[in-house]
């Protein structure tokens, strides 16, 4: 009965009713069409790789199913903090350093199924001087010194991304460490990525917790606004986005580090959901990252500089750009709309939600609905980019029925753990199992239980 009206009363002839009904149907179709998401990434980037176009079309299709009111599914994702897994013994659900991808494999330990999406981070570094990687590789240009302590995780990030897309272990295909095991050259220790069935197992993304441009030390502390030059110099950010300034050259140097790694993935056909400069709408001028709470015009310029450098200057067409503000609850974040970079610079929109919880939804509405509804204005797939919680838990068992996010990513150790003083964590094993075994969720391939043919997407 889509778009149809019922006319009641005497004297309404069939000849009149037919065109009115047809008009209403067409009007409803037009309204629906205006809300649907374009499914071809080529509309934004005509040179987008076939694999990137297939990934985007899949996600856009899920979004359009939701907008049409059809039953749809959500790809369950996991953010992996490789630098913490590798080097921080206080991180995670037991004391001691972990193998890279520990929390990628942890979902399978609990449920027998892997995440369908894995996001890793090429920043922030681990308290070391200058950008570096652990070994000299094809993505490690001469600018990035080889075999430096605490930089092996950057290798693991790239290897894990290839492994999720192409499989671990995988046949020799021109990339490094097809078995997923290697010797870390700075420490001499053996590191090993989780196996995932040896074939395409899901899709991948990268965030970039970028220390402020020009920072001599690369670490999380250097990503924070109050530790950056803008804490004392209100004009610093404007210089970062001004061509020809020293600060702008520092920005491009940092983006070169990011691009070198992304280029390695592009050369191997791996599409990447790239999520830079997130949580830009953080409330308070001393909170958040160095790019947050800045002049919106300057922020949009930062995003477009990054886009033009990666896509234009470096020719990276394997990228799907993801814009994710903080939840705009007035405490964690303010309304983000003025920070939106523009239709031709963004492919996916989402939210990092740390303000409402399953037991206390924001404003008493259904959990995550306020953000889901707010993002509907953009004709883009909508994702829960960061959450401490799995979507289907004991407090909220209908989340994906009322807010069918295309993608839902759980942050790092919160899958099983909170912190040393609160080991209970955010999710119980029952919560994780409920989510990963739900027919509403798409997981990663490992034993054929994902409910999705990842090989058809990767075509490897």
């Amino acid at each position: 009965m889509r778009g149809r009206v019922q006319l009641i009363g005497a004297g309404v002839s069939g000849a009149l009713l037919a065109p009115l009904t047809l008009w209403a149907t067409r009007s409803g179709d037009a309204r629906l069409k205006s809300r649907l998401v374009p499914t071809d990434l080529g509309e934004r980037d005509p040179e987008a790789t076939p694999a990137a176009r297939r990934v985007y079309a899949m996600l856009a299709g899920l979004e359009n199913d939701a907008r049409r009111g059809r039953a749809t599914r959500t790809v369950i994702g996991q953010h992996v903090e490789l630098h913490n897994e590798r080097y921080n013994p206080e991180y995670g659900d037991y004391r001691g350093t972990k193998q890279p991808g520990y929390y990628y494999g942890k979902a399978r330990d609990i449920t027998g199924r892997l995440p369908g999406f894995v996001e890793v981070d090429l920043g922030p570094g681990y308290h070391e001087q200058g950008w570096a990687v652990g070994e000299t590789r094809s993505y490690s240009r001469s600018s990035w010194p080889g075999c430096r302590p605490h930089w092996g995780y950057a290798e693991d990030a790239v290897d894990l991304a290839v492994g999720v897309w192409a499989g671990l272990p995988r046949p020799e295909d021109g990339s490094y460490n097809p078995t997923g095991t290697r010797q870390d050259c700075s420490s001499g220790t053996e590191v090993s990525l989780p196996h995932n069935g040896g074939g395409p197992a899901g899709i991948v993304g990268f965030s970039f917790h970028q220390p402020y441009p020009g920072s001599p030390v690369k670490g999380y502390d250097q990503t924070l606004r109050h530790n950056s030059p803008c804490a004392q110099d209100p004009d610093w950010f404007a210089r970062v986005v001004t061509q020809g300034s020293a600060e702008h050259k520092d920005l491009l140097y940092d983006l070169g580090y990011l691009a070198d790694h992304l280029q390695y993935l592009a050369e191997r056909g791996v599409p990447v959901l790239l999520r830079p400069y997130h949580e830009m709408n953080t409330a308070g001028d001393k909170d958040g990252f160095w790019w947050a709470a800045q002049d919106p015009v300057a922020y949009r310029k930062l995003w477009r500089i990054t886009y033009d450098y990666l896509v234009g200057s470096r020719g990276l067409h394997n990228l799907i750009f993801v814009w994710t503000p903080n939840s705009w609850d007035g405490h964690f974040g303010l309304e983000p709309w003025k920070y939106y970079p523009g239709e031709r610079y963004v492919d996916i929109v989402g939210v990092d939600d740390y303000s409402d919880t399953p037991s206390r939804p924001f404003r008493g509405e259904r959990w995550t609905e306020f953000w889901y509804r707010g993002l509907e204005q953009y004709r883009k797939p909508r994702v829960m980019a960061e959450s401490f919680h799995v979507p289907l838990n004991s407090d909220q068992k209908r989340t994906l029925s009322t807010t069918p996010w295309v993608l839902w990513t759980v942050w790092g150790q919160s899958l099983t753990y909170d912190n040393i003083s609160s080991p209970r964590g955010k999710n119980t094993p029952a919560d994780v199992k409920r989510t990963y075994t739900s027919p509403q969720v798409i997981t990663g391939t490992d034993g054929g239980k994902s409910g999705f043919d990842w090989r058809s997407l990767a075509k490897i």
Side-chain angles (χ1 to χ4, degrees), residues 110-111 390-398 428-441:
I110 299 170
T111 69
V390 293
L392 305 179
N393 51 71
S394 57
D395 289 313
Q396 300 287 342
K397 298 178 182 179
R398 291 183 48 79
T428 67
D431 291 338
V432 180
K433 289 178 182 177
R434 181 182 293 109
T435 292
Y436 271 74
T437 59
S438 169
Q440 293 180 291
V441 166

Side-chain angles (χ1 to χ4, degrees), residues 108 163 165-171 178 194-201 445-447 455 460:
R108 178 174 56 193
W165 179 253
L168 279 168
R170 57 186 182 273
H195 288 182
N196 57 22
T445 296
D446 185 24
R455 286 184 179 274
I460 293 176

Side-chain angles (χ1 to χ4, degrees), residues 199-211:
I203 55 180
V204 298
F206 275 74
S207 56
F208 190 38
H209 284 80
Q210 178 187 351

Side-chain angles (χ1 to χ4, degrees), residues 101-114:
Y102 176 80
Y103 271 100
Y104 171 55
K106 191 67 180 181
R108 178 174 56 193
D109 295 343
I110 299 170
T111 69
R113 304 185 184 192
L114 288 165

Side-chain angles (χ1 to χ4, degrees), residues 223-226 228 230-231 236-237 277-296 299 302 325-326 332-334 339:
T223 70
L224 300 177
R225 181 185 175 93
H226 66 265
S228 74
C230 63
W236 174 81
F237 190 84
Y277 306 126
H278 58 303
E279 300 178 17
M280 76 303 297
N281 62 321
T282 300
D285 62 0
K286 293 186 182 301
D287 297 324
F289 302 114
W290 58 264
W291 57 82
Q294 299 285 2
D295 170 49
Y299 172 83
L302 172 67
N326 218 331
F332 281 92
L334 305 177
Y339 291 100

Side-chain angles (χ1 to χ4, degrees), residues 80-82 85-86 98-106 108 114 118 120 137 139 152-165 167-170 175-183 190-198 264-265:
V80 178
E81 295 183 88
L82 287 171
E85 290 180 347
R86 285 287 311 277
K98 283 86 181 159
Q99 289 290 337
Y102 176 80
Y103 271 100
Y104 171 55
K106 191 67 180 181
R108 178 174 56 193
L114 288 165
V118 178
V120 293
R137 295 237 186 141
Y139 58 80
Y153 86 88
E155 292 181 64
D156 299 326
V158 174
D159 280 342
L160 181 59
V162 176
V164 170
W165 179 253
L168 279 168
R170 57 186 182 273
S175 58
Y176 291 86
N177 301 320
T179 65
T181 299
R182 67 179 182 85
Q183 292 291 124
E190 183 176 271
V191 294
S192 183
L193 297 169
H195 288 182
N196 57 22
Y264 175 88
L265 296 171

